[in-house]
Structure formats: structure tokens, C-alpha cells
């Protein structure tokens, strides 16, 4: 039976967005994990510097440029444009069925736009073949809403999978990093459990650990706080913010959770009826007089009062 999310809180001391990631890691693996984290942070800083400038300003790590996508007669995205600068977090907001998750799938090349351009790390990926897309997926990884863990192998083997696939680390190093990453995301000591033994919140945490094991330059989060309790949502939000700050990760978060968006977002894009009706900061969105945005914000206040 899956364990409750509140067990996660019991396993580690109170943390905030400013708490160093390595503080959660056991002393016996701290050196190996610290080196792994430092390597990831330096890689992401270098990746940010490598993105081509646009008009003498830092260029976006990810961008949608006039993107269209339909399924038959159903229009999902119509002339949608937005961008994410290196090391920043974009939140994609909007009601269900407006193309939020479809946008993430197109970023990874699982779906192709009908028209427009999608760039990752300065490269237009729309014409990429599967081999080139595999290289993009090494740079950009996704934390799916259901975790998308391999059900038939243990938690530890799930997290180890990206490192074993790369073949660059000795097995004892991999095991140390696995232990440290699980401690870092708040699910210490769960290496031998199967995904079916975990609660929804725990699966999300393990999925984040597995994403970090691939040392990505960007992470896409699909509804990370859906179907978890408020405490777990708070812990996941803090974790995502710490990863951004300390690993210099570029992030896109699809969410209905306005509290999470207010915590994380450098910018937000709001999708409605296939179009991006707003792209800017959260403060600018809250000042907008657009009736659709005002209705969304008003309903959110009713659902999640402060």
C-alpha cells in the first residue's frame, strides 16, 4: 500500500528555498554527490553562456515562435509565442484542455507543430530526426504528472537508470549518487521499494531525482502539485525553486496551482482557446484588465483563499 506524503516531512528537517541541497545528504556520500551537483551546476552555467544572443541581449534557452497545432479539426494551439531565458522558470497557466501538456510534448519532439518554430538551446528542433531529438532529450527532461517511473524495477534502479545508460560512472559512484539524490528530494532510504509502494507525492519526488540523475540543462514539470496535499505541494515547490537557484536549471512548470506559480515564475504564459492571451510576469498578469485573466484569478481566490 502506498504510504502517505506526510512521511516525507518526518524524514528530513525543515527546509526552505535557500537551504543548500547538499545539506540533506548523508556524510558518507556527500563528497560524491557534491561533485555530481557541482558538475551539473557548472554544465548549466556553460550551457546558458552558449545560447546565442539576440540583438545583443541574452537569447532564450527555449522558445515557441508562432506555433500552431491541431488534431483534426480541433485547434490546440494557434499562433502561440513565448520564451524562457537560461536559468529562469516559466509557468504555463490555463484551464484544462488548452494545450499546456501538448506544449511540453512538442518541446521534446514527441509531437510536431503544424506550423511555427520551436527552439531549444538556440536550435530549431522542428526538422530534427529521432537521433537529433535524443540529444535534445539529454539536455531537457520531463517530470510527468504520474511520475512515469518504471513499475517493474525499484526506486533505486529507476534513479540509477540515466547514469547507467550514459556509462560514464562506476557502479559504486552511481549507488552513492542515487542515495544522495533520494535524500535530497526527501525520500531517503527508499531505494529498495517499488513505485507501487509509493504515494503520489513520493512518486513525484522520485521522478525529480531520476530527472536530476541525467544532469539536464532544463526540466519540464507537468502539474507537479496536482493530487498531493498542501504540505507536499509546499515541499515540492521549495525543491523546484532550490534546483533552479543552485543548479541554474531552466524550467517550465505546467500548473493550475497559483500559489506554486507565484512562488516559482519569472514569467507566465496564459493559454486560452488555443491562444497565448498573456505572456509576462505574474505581477503584470495580476494587473491585467483582460476579463478572462480576471475571471481565472477571481476563481482561484475562491478556491484557494489566503
Amino acid at each position: 500500500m502506498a504510504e502517505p506524503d506526510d512521511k516525507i516531512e518526518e524524514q528530513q528537517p525543515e527546509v526552505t528555498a535557500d537551504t543548500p541541497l547538499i545539506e540533506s545528504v548523508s556524510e558518507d556520500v556527500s563528497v560524491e554527490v557534491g561533485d555530481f551537483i557541482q558538475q551539473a551546476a557548472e554544465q548549466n552555467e556553460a550551457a546558458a553562456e552558449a545560447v546565442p544572443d539576440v540583438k545583443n541581449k541574452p537569447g532564450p534557452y527555449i522558445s515557441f515562435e508562432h506555433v500552431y497545432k491541431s488534431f483534426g479539426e480541433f485547434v490546440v494551439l494557434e499562433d502561440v509565442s513565448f520564451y524562457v531565458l537560461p536559468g529562469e522558470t516559466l509557468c504555463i497557466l490555463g484551464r484544462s484542455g488548452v494545450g499546456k501538456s501538448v506544449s511540453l510534448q512538442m518541446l521534446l519532439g514527441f509531437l510536431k507543430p503544424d506550423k511555427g518554430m520551436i527552439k531549444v538551446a538556440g536550435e530549431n528542433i522542428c526538422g530534427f530526426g529521432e537521433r537529433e531529438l535524443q540529444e535534445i532529450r539529454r539536455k531537457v527532461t520531463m517530470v510527468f504528472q504520474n511520475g512515469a517511473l518504471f513499475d517493474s524495477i525499484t526506486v533505486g534502479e529507476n534513479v540509477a537508470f540515466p547514469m547507467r545508460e550514459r556509462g560514464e560512472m562506476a557502479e559504486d559512484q552511481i549507488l552513492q549518487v542515487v542515495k544522495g539524490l533520494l535524500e535530497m528530494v526527501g525520500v531517503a532510504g527508499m531505494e529498495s521499494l517499488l513505485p507501487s509502494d509509493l504515494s503520489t507525492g513520493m512518486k513525484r519526488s522520485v521522478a525529480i531525482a531520476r530527472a536530476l540523475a541525467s544532469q539536464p540543462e532544463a526540466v519540464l514539470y507537468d502539474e507537479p502539485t496536482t493530487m498531493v496535499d498542501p504540505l507536499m505541494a509546499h515541499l515540492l515547490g521549495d525543491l523546484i525553486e532550490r534546483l533552479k537557484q543552485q543548479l541554474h536549471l531552466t524550467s517550465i512548470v505546467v500548473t493550475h496551482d497559483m500559489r506554486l506559480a507565484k512562488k516559482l515564475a519569472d514569467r507566465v504564459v496564459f493559454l486560452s482557446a488555443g491562444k497565448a492571451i498573456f505572456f509576462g510576469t505574474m505581477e503584470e498578469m495580476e494587473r491585467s484588465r483582460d476579463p478572462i485573466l480576471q475571471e481565472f484569478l477571481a476563481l482561484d481566490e475562491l478556491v484557494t483563499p489566503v
Side-chain angles (χ1 to χ4, degrees):
M1 180 180 294
E3 299 185 52
D5 290 336
D6 57 12
K7 186 172 181 181
I8 296 177
E9 181 198 22
E10 296 170 4
Q11 293 182 359
Q12 62 178 27
E14 179 72 18
V15 297
T16 68
D18 296 323
T19 304
L21 291 163
I22 200 67
E23 280 193 11
S24 306
V25 175
S26 299
E27 186 175 350
D28 60 325
V29 297
S30 62
V31 173
E32 194 65 50
V33 177
D35 289 345
F36 187 84
I37 292 300
Q38 182 63 30
Q39 183 183 44
E42 291 174 356
Q43 165 198 282
N44 293 341
E45 286 186 296
E49 292 176 1
V51 174
D53 288 348
V54 176
K55 296 180 180 179
N56 297 319
K57 293 182 179 180
Y61 186 87
I62 290 170
S63 65
F64 270 44
E65 300 178 15
H66 306 289
V67 170
Y68 291 73
K69 182 65 182 177
S70 298
F71 296 102
E73 296 183 357
F74 179 60
V75 178
V76 180
L77 299 176
E78 183 179 357
D79 197 21
V80 168
S81 297
F82 60 81
Y83 63 83
V84 194
L85 293 178
E88 289 193 345
T89 298
L90 172 80
C91 287
I92 304 181
L93 303 175
R95 295 184 175 87
S96 298
V98 296
K100 301 188 300 294
S101 296
V102 167
S103 298
L104 300 189
Q105 293 181 56
M106 286 198 290
L107 273 170
L108 293 173
F110 297 131
L111 294 171
K112 299 283 189 183
D114 300 329
K115 191 165 65 171
M117 188 181 299
I118 297 174
K119 290 184 177 180
V120 176
E123 296 183 282
N124 178 11
I125 68 168
C126 295
F128 278 13
E130 187 59 29
R131 180 175 295 180
E132 294 167 305
L133 287 172
Q134 287 294 339
E135 289 300 314
I136 293 298
R137 293 169 195 153
R138 289 188 178 94
K139 297 178 179 180
V140 182
T141 191
M142 185 163 170
V143 176
F144 292 88
Q145 187 176 150
N146 64 1
L149 302 173
F150 300 120
D151 293 333
S152 60
I153 61 176
T154 66
V155 164
E157 290 168 331
N158 265 280
V159 178
F161 183 83
M163 293 180 282
R164 288 175 176 153
E165 191 176 46
R166 286 204 309 269
E168 298 171 357
M169 298 172 63
E171 185 63 19
D172 62 332
Q173 292 177 299
I174 290 174
L175 295 178
Q176 289 183 63
V177 172
V178 167
K179 178 182 178 182
L181 289 178
L182 290 174
E183 291 172 342
M184 194 179 296
V185 302
V187 287
M190 298 190 182
E191 289 91 329
S192 62
L193 298 180
L194 289 171
S196 59
D197 298 322
L198 306 180
S199 68
T200 299
M202 290 176 180
K203 288 178 182 176
R204 301 261 172 84
S205 295
V206 173
I208 292 173
R210 186 177 64 181
L212 296 178
S214 66
Q215 292 184 318
E217 297 172 9
V219 180
L220 315 178
Y221 302 90
D222 190 9
E223 297 284 4
T225 58
T226 294
M227 297 179 65
V228 300
D229 62 72
L231 174 61
M232 187 64 204
H234 174 77
L235 293 174
L236 285 169
D238 279 350
L239 175 61
I240 293 170
E241 179 68 8
R242 291 164 71 204
L243 295 174
K244 168 195 166 182
Q245 291 180 358
Q246 298 175 42
L247 297 186
H248 313 293
L249 280 170
T250 303
S251 308
I252 294 181
V253 182
V254 163
T255 185
H256 289 87
D257 185 342
M258 285 297 292
R259 290 184 179 179
L260 182 70
K262 290 176 182 178
K263 177 196 289 279
L264 298 178
D266 294 291
R267 291 180 181 83
V268 299
V269 59
F270 190 95
L271 301 179
S272 178
K275 297 185 178 181
I277 65 169
F278 175 82
F279 175 59
T281 67
M282 181 63 70
E283 293 76 12
E284 290 168 341
M285 178 176 163
E286 291 175 329
R287 292 197 301 267
S288 171
R289 306 318 302 167
D290 184 288
I292 296 175
L293 295 178
Q294 286 297 309
E295 180 186 23
F296 183 85
L297 293 168
L299 288 172
D300 179 72
E301 287 296 323
L302 290 174
V303 173
T304 56
V306 177

